[in-house]
Amino acid sequence: MANLFDVQGFGALSEWNGQFASASAAQSFQQIAALGSNSVSLTARIWTTNKTTSDVFAHAGKTESDASLLAGFKAAEAAGLSVVFKAAISPLDGTTSFALSPTDINGFFASYKAEIVRLADVAQRGGVDTFVIGNEMSSLTGAAYRGYWTDIISSVRQVYHGDLTYSAATDEALKVSFWDQLDIIGVNTYPPLTSSMTPTVQEMIHAWTEVPYNPYYAAAFDHKSPVDFLHSLSETYGKQVLMTEAGFRSMDGTAMRPGSWTTNAPADTAEQADAYNAFFQVWSAHGGSWMKGVELWQWDLNGKYNETGYSPMGKPAEAIVAQYFSGHGATLDLTITGSATHDVIDLGRGNDTINAGLGNDVIYGGDGNDTIIGGPSIYGKLATTTVTLTGYGTAGAARTPRSRSWSMASRSRHCWSSSRLRIPRAIRLTR
């Protein structure tokens, strides 16, 4: 079967200068690829002294050198992985990046821009596919700062020619003011999925498609479910969404606060596996062509087992990741009913039943044996068109249709496939 996503892999964080060029990193890239990954997201940190200072700099011991970056990119490529390269700023005093409040805002952005353009140049020399211009800087990404970011993006494009994105925090994505200037919408996706210490897989599946129970996150997601919120970002800006981070720690309560790396709780590898199981069931079904993919957080480049960390290495979750990344995991079969206006119904794999309803609808069925029922474009006593597609099989690079049929009513309608989309391809019903 085909890959689950166009981009699927793991994030990896540099803890010291030279780590990306290390033998353990090269071994990690091979392990990541063996799980069915086709990508790795490499995060290198740049620094400021504290949240109010304006000087942004590369730390000799903590920031990867150009040579180490290039060696890391090369090792990832040798393992068959494309590279997403993320620049992440961190204050040396331990302040979080989303609390930055430089006293000299012009000086800060001038200094930040210099570092980002420098790293973009290295990314270009290293053949990086996607460059991430910042990470979780929510205090500085609103409308008041748009001009600084458009200037940075323009300067980066002069030296780097791949795709650009920004990694927004889970509760920041709605407020980023410059999505229209980027190629991809990047979101570090850690919504709370439960208030229970012992959630079931089914409970976590439902949480992805319901408005968050937490009022703060309900507002952050514009009172939409996590799935619908990310989809709405894609529709608003006409760009694919990449989950630049998503993951779960192997500890009790991980689904309550997926993004918390400071919480202490007993180890629980089974709960981590359950959370991954729910994640993949949801996104294999709902992740249509609008969803570019996911970089799972994180793979420890030192190759060591972390009992309560994010890495699934050596834990039950590892097998679940491998199963889905290789295209063999179980998926949900959805029944979708369109509204009375025009809809874009864009789904992932699964044997789905899609009732388009009224309106001029665009339907992307994804992989699977889908039944698509198209209604009239206006109110009236019109016949309907039923289209039944049987998914295409894939074997290596070849794609062989098993069956494909449709029936047309007496009224004139047209059905065609789009060569830009995965098989089974987009079906547009014109009434």
Side-chain angles (χ1 to χ4, degrees), residues 101-151:
S101 56
T103 53
D104 178 4
I105 195 68
N106 291 327
F108 171 84
F109 272 106
S111 184
Y112 184 80
K113 172 184 170 180
E115 282 299 310
I116 293 299
V117 172
R118 180 185 68 81
L119 292 173
D121 178 67
V122 179
Q124 178 66 27
R125 286 187 279 142
V128 166
D129 291 84
T130 304
F131 181 59
V132 185
I133 63 172
N135 180 71
E136 297 191 354
M137 299 168 65
S138 57
S139 62
L140 299 173
T141 56
Y145 305 99
R146 175 179 165 85
Y148 294 110
W149 288 101
T150 57
D151 177 55

Side-chain angles (χ1 to χ4, degrees), residues 13-21 43-45 58-69 85 118-119 301:
L13 173 67
S14 169
E15 301 285 359
W16 43 272
N17 181 13
Q19 189 169 20
F20 285 166
T43 300
R45 289 185 287 189
H59 188 287
K62 297 175 180 291
T63 300
E64 291 281 2
S65 68
D66 292 2
S68 182
L69 288 172
F85 177 37
R118 180 185 68 81
L119 292 173
L301 293 181

Side-chain angles (χ1 to χ4, degrees), residues 142-160:
Y145 305 99
R146 175 179 165 85
Y148 294 110
W149 288 101
T150 57
D151 177 55
I152 289 171
I153 293 166
S154 176
S155 297
V156 166
R157 290 198 186 279
Q158 293 179 34
V159 300
Y160 175 76

Side-chain angles (χ1 to χ4, degrees), residues 137-431:
M137 299 168 65
S138 57
S139 62
L140 299 173
T141 56
Y145 305 99
R146 175 179 165 85
Y148 294 110
W149 288 101
T150 57
D151 177 55
I152 289 171
I153 293 166
S154 176
S155 297
V156 166
R157 290 198 186 279
Q158 293 179 34
V159 300
Y160 175 76
H161 308 303
D163 286 335
L164 294 182
T165 190
Y166 169 85
S167 290
T170 307
D171 57 352
E172 177 192 6
L174 185 63
K175 302 175 183 178
V176 173
S177 61
F178 48 90
W179 287 134
D180 62 312
Q181 299 296 303
L182 298 170
D183 303 301
I184 299 165
I185 295 171
V187 183
N188 296 342
T189 309
Y190 298 104
L193 300 177
T194 181
S195 58
S196 170
M197 291 292 288
T198 57
T200 65
V201 171
Q202 196 60 44
E203 287 169 349
M204 289 185 280
I205 287 173
H206 286 315
W208 281 103
T209 55
E210 297 174 345
V211 177
Y213 70 90
N214 181 311
Y216 176 82
Y217 279 98
F221 285 177
D222 200 23
H223 300 281
K224 299 179 177 71
S225 72
V227 167
D228 288 341
F229 173 68
L230 294 181
H231 196 178
S232 71
L233 288 177
S234 174
E235 290 188 316
T236 298
Y237 295 99
K239 302 174 190 295
Q240 286 184 299
V241 172
L242 174 65
M243 288 185 274
T244 40
E245 291 181 20
F248 305 91
R249 292 176 63 185
S250 50
M251 69 175 196
D252 286 343
T254 186
M256 297 172 66
R257 297 175 296 275
S260 175
W261 54 272
T262 59
T263 302
N264 293 317
D268 190 340
T269 58
E271 185 168 341
Q272 181 191 42
D274 285 348
Y276 268 111
N277 192 346
F279 174 89
F280 280 115
Q281 286 194 56
V282 168
W283 287 107
S284 62
H286 289 279
S289 63
W290 63 274
M291 174 56 65
K292 191 170 184 67
V294 62
E295 301 285 2
L296 299 173
W297 190 259
Q298 70 167 339
W299 194 272
D300 295 328
L301 293 181
N302 58 15
K304 295 180 180 179
Y305 182 98
N306 187 327
E307 189 178 35
T308 61
Y310 280 96
S311 176
M313 182 176 62
K315 305 170 187 177
E318 183 178 43
I320 294 173
V321 173
Q323 184 180 32
Y324 277 93
F325 275 5
S326 62
H328 297 289
T331 192
L332 304 174
D333 298 332
L334 304 177
T335 299
I336 303 294
T337 301
S339 69
T341 61
H342 70 277
D343 299 303
V344 177
I345 299 173
D346 192 349
L347 303 175
R349 66 181 69 224
N351 300 323
D352 305 321
T353 299
I354 304 168
N355 298 298
L358 290 167
N360 294 317
D361 304 319
V362 181
I363 302 172
Y364 301 80
D367 292 339
N369 300 324
D370 301 326
T371 299
I372 301 173
I373 303 169
S377 60
I378 58 174
Y379 285 103
K381 196 171 182 180
L382 301 176
T384 62
T385 299
T386 299
V387 180
T388 301
L389 299 179
T390 298
Y392 281 31
T394 59
R399 293 183 174 183
T400 306
R402 294 174 183 164
S403 66
R404 184 179 183 210
S405 62
W406 55 84
S407 59
M408 312 300 285
S410 58
R411 288 185 174 271
S412 175
R413 289 178 174 87
H414 305 281
C415 177
W416 68 88
S417 293
S418 166
S419 61
R420 296 179 292 108
L421 299 168
R422 294 179 301 173
I423 303 297
R425 306 188 182 217
I427 302 300
R428 183 181 179 100
L429 303 179
T430 302
R431 308 171 180 86

